[in-house]
């Protein structure tokens, strides 16, 4: 390049540089404050206002352009980038991932640079501030915007609250959840929700739970709710929370801790009725408590559970005097006058007779022998409702014919019990007490009551349920006129002359020599156990025993427990009262009340319980009221005993024994046992082995019997030639009674099974005309509790052995046929029967006869054995001969004819039958020796048969028959 050109270029550059220096006069300018927002999942910051740097040197190139931004600050995770140099626009972006939860905002300073004088950025100028020329931001430059990345979380794992039933609450409890997000939008909980459906609760946005209706403890004891929460970004809680709201019952004064149904198993003794009972008073100031427990048993039997023996047996068990006559006995062959009366089954409870106003029974003569001059008593169970104004007679003894006089009677009139007793003429003509009246509520309350009238003239006393009552009023009358008219005793009405003026509903006229008689003054109600006895009055101890129940309430308290508590119980043990001022002692006393049933086989069913209470407080007006408590005791069905009669049921006796004075014992080896069947569970866990089942086990028990009846099967007893007898002395020693008829014998009275066995062993049958008698059959039946449990029918058949008169013979051999015949005949007829204690000369043969039979049997055996041996030897000889001839020559059997002798087979069979008959005779007469002979003979027969079969086989093999020309 020429020198002048070079110098010119250098001069131009120097002039340009001088011009450029003069052009870049100003520094870049930016805003003093910026506010930026950046999202956690983004890196670009949105600034307000936008990041734009201005330079007054624009539009000059380089000097007026922005080349960069610089951020000043410590640990600032941002950078500024120029987007457009000419416009000075830039952006701020993060250099790393931001987390709002770690740091929510950042503050830093931004400085802008221009491009200076040229492309290399020389002499570039910065935006300035007051001191250094750098303009700094005074506020936040970047704020991190939150993302809804966290779900709400409840502060507690569960919540609990308790409310009282019957109230509505605005705020039961508050649940609270939090959110870990940093922004107000996502970190706040906007709503709560109850997830559990159909619950009477609601929750608001702040987490407060309230009930939407009144709550009831009886409907639900506790509610379990599931609650969730949502943040303002509609994000649901990661885990729902459980809320338990318990319902507390309203404090109601009353007895608590008792069961409505209480099961009683028979035979377990006392059963505590209220072991966990206590009285809730709701903190009221109680000064005293009185509680009454009632056991209702009116529907069981005659007011409660009692022994269901006959009334006569119960009187004897209670120690009453003997001679009591039962006017309403259970219908039987011996006492049949009550057959027509309606009655219950009498099995589970006492037998009750119903009188509907049209029925009555006449008591046969001889049943009652009352001497009116002596003291006597009348005992009866009666249930009677409000009646009419007419007289209703329970028992009446009146003239049988001609006249209409009542000697004594017991009747009901206008809820009064009246006893009429007219004196006999021999007592004088002075006026004396005749009618004794008792006004009693028990007469018309439709409940069972026990009445005992003790008559010791002129004093008459009445006991009702063991409580004595004096008569009022007492009317007087003259004694009866002398007469020789018989009397008629009637139950349920009165026998009297028909006048046509009686107001009874129905009459039963009957014509007699003295005119028309009929029943009048009919009774309407129920009667049971009507008894009458003269000679001795009933004492208070026996009366209490007759009435006392076998079930009732019981209270057994330890020493010190009942201190400060008053206890009262009625005689029937059906009502028990407790009173005290210490609530804890009253509670303990109530917990010791028990139910007891002493019967071995109680009547099953329900016994209702009722508790009524009264409390007294300091302030009588504000005293609480205790509601009544009602429940019941369920007496379970007792295990039914099975009474079994066993012994010799078929035997024979000689006619002379039947004709003897002692007769023949019908039940010499009778045994009476009673068993019950129990279910026994298998050992171990039955669920592990489903094939294991419960087993039944019989267990023998002991209890009483109250009746055994011996009945003749077939023709009735002929009193002229046969009878059933028993030792009455020994029977009376045991206190057991007997009645007999042509149909048999009935033994009654409560006693043990062992004593009944002993008594039945005493029963003997006599027949003093046995010529035409060959057998007699009887049936025995025993029962317990008035027929509630009945034994099996034990039948006995007794045969009469008739023997020929003995004849004397000098030669015993000549007498043998006459003796053997009846013995053999008797043995055949009675085969299979039990010959208990047979007469020696009618069954057992003599020693000479036995020796003769044994010798004859042995002789027959030896003959048969010899015949068999001879036949066997002959058959072996014939077989050897046949074998030799076959070897010597060949037979031509083309025209052979075989003739079979049928007599040979018949003789063989006939001889076998004779041998069997002889063996039977030998087995009957020869005992063990004959058995041995028979076995030997049987073995010989088997050997002979085997030899014959072998010979037939050999002959069949040796010969082939040509039967082409054989004619049949």
């Amino acid at each position: 390049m020429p020198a002048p050109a070079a110098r010119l270029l250098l001069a131009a550059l120097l002039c340009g540089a001088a011009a450029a220096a003069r052009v870049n006069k100003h520094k870049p300018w930016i805003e003093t404050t910026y506010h930026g927002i950046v999202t956690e999942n983004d890196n670009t910051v949105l600034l307000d206002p936008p990041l734009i740097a201005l330079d007054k040197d624009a539009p000059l190139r380089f000097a007026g352009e922005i080349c960069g931004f610089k951020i000043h600050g410590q640990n600032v995770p941002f950078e500024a980038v120029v987007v457009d140099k000419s416009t000075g626009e830039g952006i701020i972006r993060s250099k790393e991932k931001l987390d709002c939860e770690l740091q929510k905002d950042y503050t830093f300073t931004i400085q802008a640079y221009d491009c200076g004088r040229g492309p290399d950025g020389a002499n570039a100028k910065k935006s300035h501030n007051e001191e250094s020329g750098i303009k700094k931001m005074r506020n936040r430059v970047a704020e991190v915007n939150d993302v809804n990345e966290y779900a709400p979380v409840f502060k507690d794992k569960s919540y609990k609250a308790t409310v009282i039933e019957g109230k509505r609450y605005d705020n039961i409890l508050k649940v609270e959840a939090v959110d870990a997000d940093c922004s107000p939008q996502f970190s706040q909980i906007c709503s709560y929700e109850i997830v559990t459906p159909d619950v009477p609760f609601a929750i608001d946005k702040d987490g407060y739970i309230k009930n939407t209706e009144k709550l009831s403890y009886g409907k639900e004891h506790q509610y379990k709710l599931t609650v969730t929460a949502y943040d303002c970004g509609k994000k649901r809680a990661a885990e729902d929370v459980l809320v338990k709201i318990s319902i507390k019952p309203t404090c109601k004064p009353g007895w608590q801790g008792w069961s409505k149904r209480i099961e009683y198993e028979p035979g377990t003794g006392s059963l505590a009725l209220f072991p966990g009972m206590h009285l809730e008073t709701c903190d009221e100031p109680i000064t005293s408590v009185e509680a009454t427990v009632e056991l209702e048993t009116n529907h069981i039997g005659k007011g409660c559970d009692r022994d269901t023996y006959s009334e006569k047996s119960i009187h004897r068990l209670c120690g009453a005097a003997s001679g009591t006559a039962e006017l309403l006995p259970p219908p039987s062959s011996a006492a049949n006058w009550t057959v027509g009366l309606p009655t219950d089954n009498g099995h589970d409870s006492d037998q009750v007779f119903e009188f509907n106003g049209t029925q009555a029974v006449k008591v046969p003569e001889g049943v009652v022998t009352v001497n009116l001059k002596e003291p006597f008593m009348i005992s009866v169970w009666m249930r009677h409702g409000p009646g009419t104004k007419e007289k209703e007679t329970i028992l009446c003894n009146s003239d049988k014919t001609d006249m209409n006089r009542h000697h004594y009677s017991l009747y009901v009139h206008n809820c009064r019990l009246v006893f009429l007793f007219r004196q006999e003429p021999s007592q004088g003509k002075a006026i004396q007490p005749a009618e004794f009246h008792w006004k009693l509520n028990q007469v018309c309350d439709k409940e069972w009551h026990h009445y005992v009238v003790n008559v010791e003239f002129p004093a008459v006393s009445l006991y009702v349920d063991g409580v004595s009552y004096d008569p009022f009023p007492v009317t007087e009358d003259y004694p009866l006129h002398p007469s020789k008219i018989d009397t008629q005793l009637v139950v349920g009405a009165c026998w009297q002359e028909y006048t046509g003026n009686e107001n009874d509903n129905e009459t039963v006229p009957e014509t007699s020599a003295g005119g028309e008689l009929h029943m009048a003054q009919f009774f309407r109600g129920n009667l049971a156990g009507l008894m009458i006895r003269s000679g001795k009055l009933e004492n208070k101890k026996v009366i209490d025993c007759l009435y006392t129940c076998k079930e009732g309430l019981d209270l057994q308290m330890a020493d010190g427990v009942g201190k400060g508590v008053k206890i009262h119980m009625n005689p029937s043990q059906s009502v028990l009262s407790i009173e005290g001022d210490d609530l804890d002692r009253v509670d303990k006393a109530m917990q010791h009340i028990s139910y007891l049933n002493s019967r071995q086989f109680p009547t099953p069913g329900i016994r209702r319980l009722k508790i009524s209470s009264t409390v007294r407080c300091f302030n009588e007006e504000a005293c609480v009221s205790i509601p009544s408590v009602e429940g019941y005791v369920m007496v379970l069905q007792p295990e039914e005993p099975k009474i079994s009669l066993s012994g010799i049921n078929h035997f024979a006796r000689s006619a002379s024994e039947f004709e003897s004075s002692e007769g023949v014992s019908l039940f010499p080896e009778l045994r009476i046992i009673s068993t019950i069947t129990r279910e026994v569970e298998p050992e171990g866990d039955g669920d592990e082995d489903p094939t294991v089942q419960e087993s039944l086990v019989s267990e023998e028990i002991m209890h009483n019997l109250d009746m055994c009846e011996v009945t003749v099967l077939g023709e009735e007893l002929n009193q002229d030639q046969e009878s059933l007898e028993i030792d009455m002395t020994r029977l009376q020693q045991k206190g057991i009674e007997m009645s007999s008829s042509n149909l048999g014998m009935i033994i009654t009275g409560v006693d043990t099974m062992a004593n009944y066995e002993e008594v039945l062993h005493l029963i003997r049958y006599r027949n003093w005309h046995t010529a035409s008698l060959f057998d007699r059959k009887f049936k025995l039946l025993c029962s317990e509790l008035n027929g509630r449990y009945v034994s099996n029918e034990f039948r006995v058949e007794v045969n009469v052995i008739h023997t020929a008169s003995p004849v004397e013979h000098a030669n015993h051999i000549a007498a043998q046929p006459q003796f053997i015949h009846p013995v053999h005949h008797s043995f055949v007829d009675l085969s299979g029967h039990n010959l208990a204690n047979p007469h020696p000369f009618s069954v057992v043969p003599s020693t000479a006869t036995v020796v003769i039979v044994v010798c004859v049997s042995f002789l027959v055996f030896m003959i048969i054995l010899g015949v068999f041996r001879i036949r066997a030897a002959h058959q072996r000889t014939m077989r050897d001969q046949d074998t030799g001839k076959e070897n010597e020559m060949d037979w031509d059997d083309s025209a052979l004819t075989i003739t079979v002798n049928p007599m040979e087979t018949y003789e063989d069979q006939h001889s076998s039958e004779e041998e069997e008959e002889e063996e039977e005779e030998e087995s009957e007469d020869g005992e063990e020796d004959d058995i041995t002979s028979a076995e030997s003979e049987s073995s010989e027969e088997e050997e002979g048969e085997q030899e014959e079969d072998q010979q037939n086989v050999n002959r069949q093999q040796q010969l082939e028959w040509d039967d082409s020309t054989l004619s049949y």
Side-chain angles (χ1 to χ4, degrees):
M1 177 180 293
R7 287 192 295 268
L8 181 61
L9 179 59
L10 179 61
L13 291 172
L14 292 175
C15 290
R22 292 192 299 266
V23 172
N24 192 11
K25 298 179 179 181
H26 302 90
K27 295 180 180 180
W29 176 88
I30 57 177
E31 295 287 344
T32 59
T33 303
Y34 289 93
H35 182 266
I37 297 175
V38 61
T39 306
E40 286 180 322
N41 55 1
D42 195 2
N43 61 352
T44 302
V45 180
L46 301 178
L47 290 176
D48 183 23
L51 180 58
I52 297 177
L54 300 178
D55 196 325
K56 292 182 179 181
D57 293 327
L60 296 177
R61 189 179 181 187
F62 301 113
E65 295 178 345
I66 302 301
C67 281
F69 296 95
K70 186 177 181 181
I71 294 178
H72 299 273
Q74 187 176 2
N75 299 326
V76 178
F78 293 96
E79 63 180 359
V81 180
V82 177
V83 178
D84 191 343
K85 293 181 179 182
S86 59
T87 59
E89 180 180 359
I91 60 172
I92 298 176
R93 59 189 182 187
S94 61
K95 296 186 294 182
E96 60 187 35
K97 187 176 180 181
L98 303 177
D99 190 347
C100 178
E101 287 72 31
L102 296 179
Q103 186 170 349
K104 194 171 184 180
D105 53 48
Y106 297 87
T107 302
F108 51 88
T109 303
I110 302 175
Q111 190 176 28
Y113 296 86
D114 58 16
C115 294
R117 294 175 297 178
D120 56 355
N123 296 324
K125 292 187 177 182
K126 306 175 183 178
S127 58
H128 62 280
N129 57 10
E130 295 178 356
E131 296 179 358
S132 60
I134 301 177
K135 295 186 177 180
K136 300 181 180 179
M137 298 180 60
R138 304 301 180 187
N139 295 320
R140 291 178 299 173
V141 174
E143 179 181 351
V144 181
N145 198 6
D146 189 20
V147 176
N148 195 8
E149 57 183 332
Y150 293 99
V153 177
F154 286 95
K155 288 185 175 181
D156 298 322
K157 294 182 178 180
S158 63
Y159 294 86
K160 296 180 181 180
T162 301
V163 297
I164 299 176
E165 66 173 347
K167 293 184 179 181
R168 298 192 66 169
Y169 295 83
D170 294 332
N171 179 11
I172 297 177
L173 78 161
K174 180 182 180 181
V175 297
E176 187 176 359
V178 295
D179 197 311
D181 290 312
C182 62
S183 65
Q185 179 182 3
F186 300 136
S187 64
Q188 294 182 3
I189 306 300
C190 285
S191 64
Y192 293 90
E193 181 182 351
I194 297 176
V195 181
T196 306
D198 302 328
V199 289
F201 297 94
I203 189 170
D204 60 13
K205 64 178 182 178
D206 296 325
Y208 291 101
I209 297 177
K210 65 179 182 179
N211 57 319
T212 58
E213 61 183 43
K214 293 182 179 180
L215 304 177
S216 174
Y217 178 80
K219 183 178 180 180
E220 195 73 35
H221 293 358
Q222 186 184 67
Y223 289 90
K224 295 182 179 180
L225 315 177
T226 303
V227 178
T228 190
Y230 294 91
D231 60 16
C232 294
K234 298 300 181 182
K235 192 161 189 174
R236 182 172 174 172
E239 292 184 3
D240 300 335
V241 71
L242 178 63
V243 179
K244 297 180 181 180
I245 301 177
S246 300
I247 312 301
K248 183 179 180 181
T250 304
C251 185
K252 297 179 181 179
W255 294 102
Q256 297 181 1
W258 56 277
S259 300
K260 185 174 183 180
R261 176 188 170 99
I262 305 167
E263 291 188 354
Y264 179 80
E265 185 176 351
T268 56
S270 297
L271 174 66
L273 298 177
F274 320 109
M277 173 179 279
H278 67 278
L279 181 62
E280 177 62 55
T281 60
C282 296
D283 299 329
E284 290 288 339
I286 304 297
T287 59
S288 65
V289 179
E290 181 179 357
T292 301
V293 182
E294 299 179 46
L295 179 68
E296 299 179 5
T297 59
N298 296 334
H299 61 290
I300 303 296
K302 296 193 295 287
C304 65
D305 208 1
R306 297 181 175 88
D307 284 329
T308 56
Y309 298 117
S310 67
E311 195 68 22
K312 197 169 185 179
S313 298
I314 294 177
H315 274 249
R316 188 178 70 85
L317 289 175
C318 289
S322 60
T324 304
E326 191 171 7
L327 304 185
L328 288 175
S332 64
S333 57
N336 57 3
W337 64 88
T338 59
V339 173
L341 290 177
T343 178
D344 64 353
N345 55 23
H347 285 181
D348 290 341
S349 59
D350 304 303
Q351 193 161 35
V352 175
F353 295 92
E354 180 182 357
F355 295 84
N356 57 11
T358 62
Q359 296 168 320
V361 293
K362 296 180 181 180
V363 179
E365 295 183 4
V367 175
V368 178
T369 56
V370 175
N371 186 357
L372 300 181
K373 297 180 182 180
E374 296 180 355
F376 66 94
M377 76 90 193
I378 300 174
S379 174
V380 66
W381 285 93
M382 182 179 70
R383 179 171 59 186
H384 184 266
T388 61
K389 297 181 180 181
E390 305 165 359
K391 293 182 180 180
E392 300 180 39
T393 302
I394 300 171
L395 177 67
C396 179
N397 186 30
S398 60
D399 289 334
K400 196 170 187 178
T401 58
D402 297 333
M403 302 183 71
N404 188 23
R405 301 179 304 173
H406 295 183
H407 294 255
Y408 64 88
S409 67
L410 183 66
Y411 63 90
V412 176
H413 187 211
N414 289 335
C415 291
R416 293 175 183 267
L417 185 66
V418 183
F419 176 67
L420 171 67
F421 183 57
R422 299 291 300 278
Q423 288 295 300
E424 296 297 329
S426 60
Q427 301 297 325
K429 298 181 179 181
I431 296 177
Q432 295 182 351
E435 279 191 343
F436 303 84
H437 298 252
W438 292 273
K439 177 67 175 178
L440 300 171
N441 295 328
Q442 293 93 323
V443 175
C444 297
D445 63 357
K446 293 184 178 181
E447 301 292 342
W448 280 104
H449 298 283
H450 184 240
Y451 301 84
V452 176
V453 179
N454 277 336
V455 180
E456 189 174 12
F457 196 81
V460 177
S461 59
L462 172 68
Y463 291 87
V464 181
D465 297 337
V467 181
S468 62
Y469 294 87
D470 295 328
F472 182 81
V474 177
T475 61
E476 296 179 340
D477 203 347
Y478 288 97
L480 297 174
H481 296 288
S483 67
K484 296 183 180 181
I485 302 174
D486 294 333
T487 59
Q488 177 64 59
L489 185 61
V490 177
V491 178
C494 201
W495 182 257
Q496 64 183 27
E497 183 179 357
Y498 179 68
T499 62
N501 297 326
E502 281 77 5
N503 54 4
D504 299 281
N505 295 337
E506 185 174 340
T507 60
V508 184
E510 180 176 325
T511 303
S512 65
E516 191 174 14
L517 300 177
H518 78 303
M519 294 285 188
Q521 302 177 5
F522 285 95
F523 180 76
R524 299 172 182 84
N526 298 102
L527 297 176
L530 180 57
M531 314 286 289
I532 187 170
R533 184 187 69 243
S534 63
K536 187 176 181 181
L537 299 179
E538 209 73 278
N539 59 47
K540 185 65 168 59
K541 182 178 180 181
V542 174
I543 293 174
D544 292 340
C545 177
L546 295 174
Y547 172 72
T548 301
C549 297
K550 295 295 184 179
E551 64 176 343
L553 299 174
D554 190 21
L555 181 60
Q556 299 292 337
M557 301 181 64
D559 296 339
V561 178
K563 185 177 180 181
V565 178
K566 297 180 181 179
I567 300 172
H568 175 73
M569 184 179 294
N570 66 338
S572 63
Q573 297 183 337
S574 61
V575 180
L576 190 150
S577 298
I578 297 177
E579 184 178 1
D581 53 4
D582 190 332
L583 185 58
D584 292 336
R585 293 184 180 274
V586 173
D587 287 343
K588 290 181 180 179
M590 292 291 291
Q591 294 170 4
H592 283 79
I593 296 178
S594 60
Y595 169 80
L596 175 63
N597 195 316
S598 59
R599 292 190 63 190
Q600 186 176 11
F601 306 106
T603 303
I606 291 176
R607 276 72 162 168
R608 300 195 179 278
L609 288 169
K610 183 179 180 181
I611 303 177
S612 54
S613 307
T614 304
V615 297
R616 294 179 178 85
C617 307
F618 291 103
N619 185 358
E620 296 292 339
E621 297 181 357
C623 197
V624 295
S625 177
I626 306 298
S628 299
V629 173
E630 294 185 357
Y632 61 92
V633 177
M634 173 59 73
V635 179
L636 303 179
Q637 181 75 34
E639 295 175 343
E640 183 173 348
K642 181 181 179 182
I643 306 173
S644 301
L645 309 178
S646 60
I648 300 175
N649 59 0
H650 197 175
F651 58 90
R653 296 290 186 271
S654 64
S656 60
E657 292 189 36
F658 288 94
E659 297 174 357
S660 65
S661 60
E662 295 182 357
V664 175
S665 176
L666 289 181
F667 313 106
E669 299 183 13
L670 179 70
R671 179 73 196 282
I672 305 176
I673 62 172
S674 182
T675 58
I676 58 175
T677 303
R678 299 181 183 272
E679 291 185 356
V680 179
E681 296 182 357
E683 297 181 357
D685 191 359
D687 298 336
E688 299 178 357
D689 189 359
T691 61
V692 177
Q693 299 179 353
E694 295 182 349
S695 59
L696 300 179
V697 177
S698 294
E699 178 182 345
E700 184 173 350
I701 62 172
M702 301 300 295
H703 58 79
N704 293 331
L705 297 177
D706 62 354
M707 191 272 292
C708 280
E709 182 176 6
V710 181
T711 307
V712 180
L713 299 179
E715 298 180 358
E716 297 181 1
L717 291 175
N718 186 352
Q719 300 295 340
D720 296 333
Q721 65 179 26
E722 58 182 345
S723 65
L724 288 174
E725 299 178 357
I726 193 170
D727 188 349
M728 295 301 300
T729 302
R730 298 183 63 180
L731 203 64
Q732 292 174 358
Q733 291 176 354
K734 296 183 178 298
I736 298 178
E737 298 182 357
M738 183 274 295
S739 61
S740 60
S741 65
N742 294 339
L743 300 177
M745 177 184 295
I746 299 178
I747 300 174
T748 57
V750 180
D751 214 325
T752 62
M753 292 186 294
N755 285 341
Y756 260 89
E757 279 186 10
E758 185 177 347
V759 169
L760 292 173
H761 290 167
L762 301 176
I763 298 178
R764 294 180 172 273
Y765 170 68
R766 286 188 61 203
N767 191 311
W768 44 92
H769 295 289
T770 59
S772 60
L773 180 66
F774 292 96
D775 57 49
R776 239 346 184 161
K777 297 179 180 179
F778 301 90
K779 178 181 70 175
L780 175 62
L781 201 67
C782 295
S783 64
E784 161 71 336
L785 294 174
N786 204 17
R788 181 176 176 183
Y789 302 117
V790 183
S791 71
N792 61 307
E793 290 186 358
F794 180 67
R795 295 174 180 263
V796 173
E797 179 179 351
V798 56
N799 297 105
V800 181
I801 301 176
H802 296 277
T803 58
S805 300
V807 181
E808 295 183 0
H809 295 275
N811 189 351
H812 293 286
I813 302 300
Q816 176 185 349
Q818 297 181 358
F819 183 81
I820 293 177
H821 176 70
V823 173
H824 178 72
H825 175 72
S826 301
F827 181 81
V828 173
D829 289 347
L830 301 179
S831 60
H833 299 276
N834 188 355
L835 298 176
N837 299 327
H839 202 279
F841 68 78
S842 62
V843 177
V844 180
S846 64
T847 305
T849 304
V850 173
V851 174
I852 294 172
V853 172
V854 172
C855 293
V856 172
S857 302
F858 182 77
L859 180 61
V860 172
F861 167 72
M862 295 302 296
I863 294 172
I864 295 174
L865 181 61
V867 171
F868 270 103
R869 291 183 177 276
I870 293 171
R871 291 185 60 185
H874 177 69
Q875 290 174 359
R876 284 195 297 269
T877 303
M878 293 298 296
R879 184 171 62 251
D880 296 337
Q881 293 177 359
D882 294 339
T883 304
K885 292 179 179 180
E886 182 179 2
N887 295 331
E888 294 175 357
M889 57 181 300
D890 293 331
W891 295 95
D892 183 11
D893 57 354
S894 59
L896 183 61
T897 301
I898 297 176
T899 302
V900 179
N901 185 4
M903 294 303 294
E904 183 178 358
T905 304
Y906 173 77
E907 291 175 356
D908 294 339
Q909 295 178 352
H910 185 66
S911 61
S912 300
E913 292 176 356
E914 291 179 350
E915 293 167 3
E916 292 176 356
E917 291 178 359
E918 292 173 355
E919 290 173 5
E920 291 177 358
E921 293 179 356
E922 292 168 3
S923 64
E924 293 173 357
D925 299 331
E927 299 178 350
E928 295 181 357
D929 293 339
D930 300 312
I931 294 174
T932 307
S933 301
E935 291 176 352
S936 302
E937 185 175 352
S938 175
S939 62
E940 292 292 340
E941 288 178 358
E942 293 176 359
E943 292 176 0
E945 290 176 359
Q946 293 176 0
E947 292 175 359
E948 291 179 358
D949 294 339
Q950 184 65 32
Q951 293 174 4
N952 294 334
V953 171
N954 295 334
R955 291 178 181 178
Q956 186 175 5
Q957 294 175 354
Q958 294 171 4
L959 300 178
E960 294 182 358
W961 300 99
D962 182 10
D963 56 355
S964 60
T965 60
L966 185 62
S967 59
Y968 292 93

